[in-house]
Amino acid sequence: MLHLAVFASGRGSNLESIARAISSGNLDAEIALVLSNNSTSGALAFARENGIPGIHLSGKTNPDPLDFSSRMKSELKYHDVDFIALAGYMKKVPPDIVNIYTNRITNIHPALLPAFGGKGMYGINVHKAVLESGARITGVTVHIVTNDYDVGPIVAQECIPVLDDDTPESLAERVLEIEHRLYPAALQLFARDRITVNGLRTIHQPPA
Ligand code: GRF
């Protein structure tokens, strides 16, 4: 059973899909905390509406980086968090937190890493870049977070075709549908202790 913190900056649809998977018994986890750098995010609103502890933590609330990361650390400790799922979190997680939660932080990315990742590759930019590249497939990647952007060990991927009449928006919509299924399923692998990390690869133990 994971004691999850979900970090999200915006809409929060992945947070909702994680919560849905938990209530339908498909993910052995509890959302102990929602953390957002955006006080008006859909994610924090969802937390409020569902009785989940939610906090706003940003450069505004804690301008000093040391103070910021120590507040993050103490919130995680206070809420007994043992795993962090980034779900549209637009900020870098402080390195000391990444070190404490080694191989216990995941992120979801709306393309097939290691392509279309890194700086500037977020939101609709990703789908524009996929279309401009002429790639015939795209998809979703769930990966472990390290101190470098978008390059940690890959836990799960699923691909979909790029259609001739796709626009960045239509691609985003189809990719998002996959995200909502793939992220809870990937988290369940951790909940069941089925993932070990070997360099950049993850090894998936068969179900018990
Ligand atoms: C998703 O597309 C996710 O892959 C990316 O940010 C977006 C977040 O969407 N990292 P939402 O806030 O979960 O709706």
Side-chain angles (χ1 to χ4, degrees):
M1 165 107 167
L2 302 177
H3 239 230
L4 270 184
V6 179
F7 288 14
S9 300
R11 185 176 48 185
S13 70
N14 277 286
L15 165 66
E16 287 189 41
S17 76
I18 291 168
R20 259 198 314 273
I22 294 172
S23 31
S24 60
N26 292 318
L27 173 56
D28 304 326
E30 183 187 334
I31 304 177
L33 176 67
V34 170
L35 183 147
S36 182
N37 59 308
N38 173 3
S39 62
T40 62
S41 59
L44 278 183
F46 178 83
R48 265 195 309 276
E49 284 154 20
N50 289 276
I52 302 168
I55 57 165
H56 167 221
L57 183 60
S58 70
K60 278 188 197 143
T61 62
N62 297 75
D64 173 36
L66 276 181
D67 188 45
F68 178 93
S69 79
S70 82
R71 164 101 193 276
M72 189 179 272
K73 237 179 288 177
S74 60
E75 292 287 355
L76 292 169
K77 195 162 177 214
Y78 178 77
H79 291 281
D80 210 14
V81 168
D82 62 15
F83 199 100
I84 301 171
L86 308 186
Y89 185 61
M90 304 295 284
K91 295 283 170 195
K92 219 163 181 262
V93 178
D96 50 335
I97 306 280
V98 175
N99 294 339
I100 294 170
Y101 287 88
T102 304
N103 297 335
R104 304 286 291 170
I105 308 179
T106 50
N107 181 40
I108 185 154
H109 186 77
L112 296 173
L113 292 174
F116 307 110
K119 231 181 157 42
M121 282 295 163
Y122 60 86
I124 206 74
N125 296 350
V126 177
H127 307 293
K128 279 186 185 151
V130 167
L131 282 176
E132 276 161 21
S133 75
R136 301 295 294 172
I137 57 167
T138 185
V140 176
T141 303
V142 177
H143 68 94
I144 290 173
V145 171
T146 59
N147 281 316
D148 298 312
Y149 239 62
D150 288 344
V151 296
I154 291 173
V155 179
Q157 287 187 306
E158 193 171 319
C159 61
I160 55 164
V162 176
L163 305 176
D164 290 343
D165 59 355
D166 260 325
T167 60
E169 291 72 22
S170 68
L171 259 191
E173 201 179 308
R174 295 207 326 285
V175 164
L176 193 65
E177 268 174 44
I178 310 244
E179 295 186 37
H180 292 164
R181 189 161 35 75
L182 194 66
Y183 208 4
L187 292 171
Q188 179 67 346
L189 295 174
F190 287 94
R192 288 284 163 96
D193 226 3
R194 289 181 50 200
I195 297 291
T196 51
V197 178
N198 183 2
L200 269 186
R201 301 186 63 191
T202 57
I203 312 299
H204 295 217
Q205 310 299 336

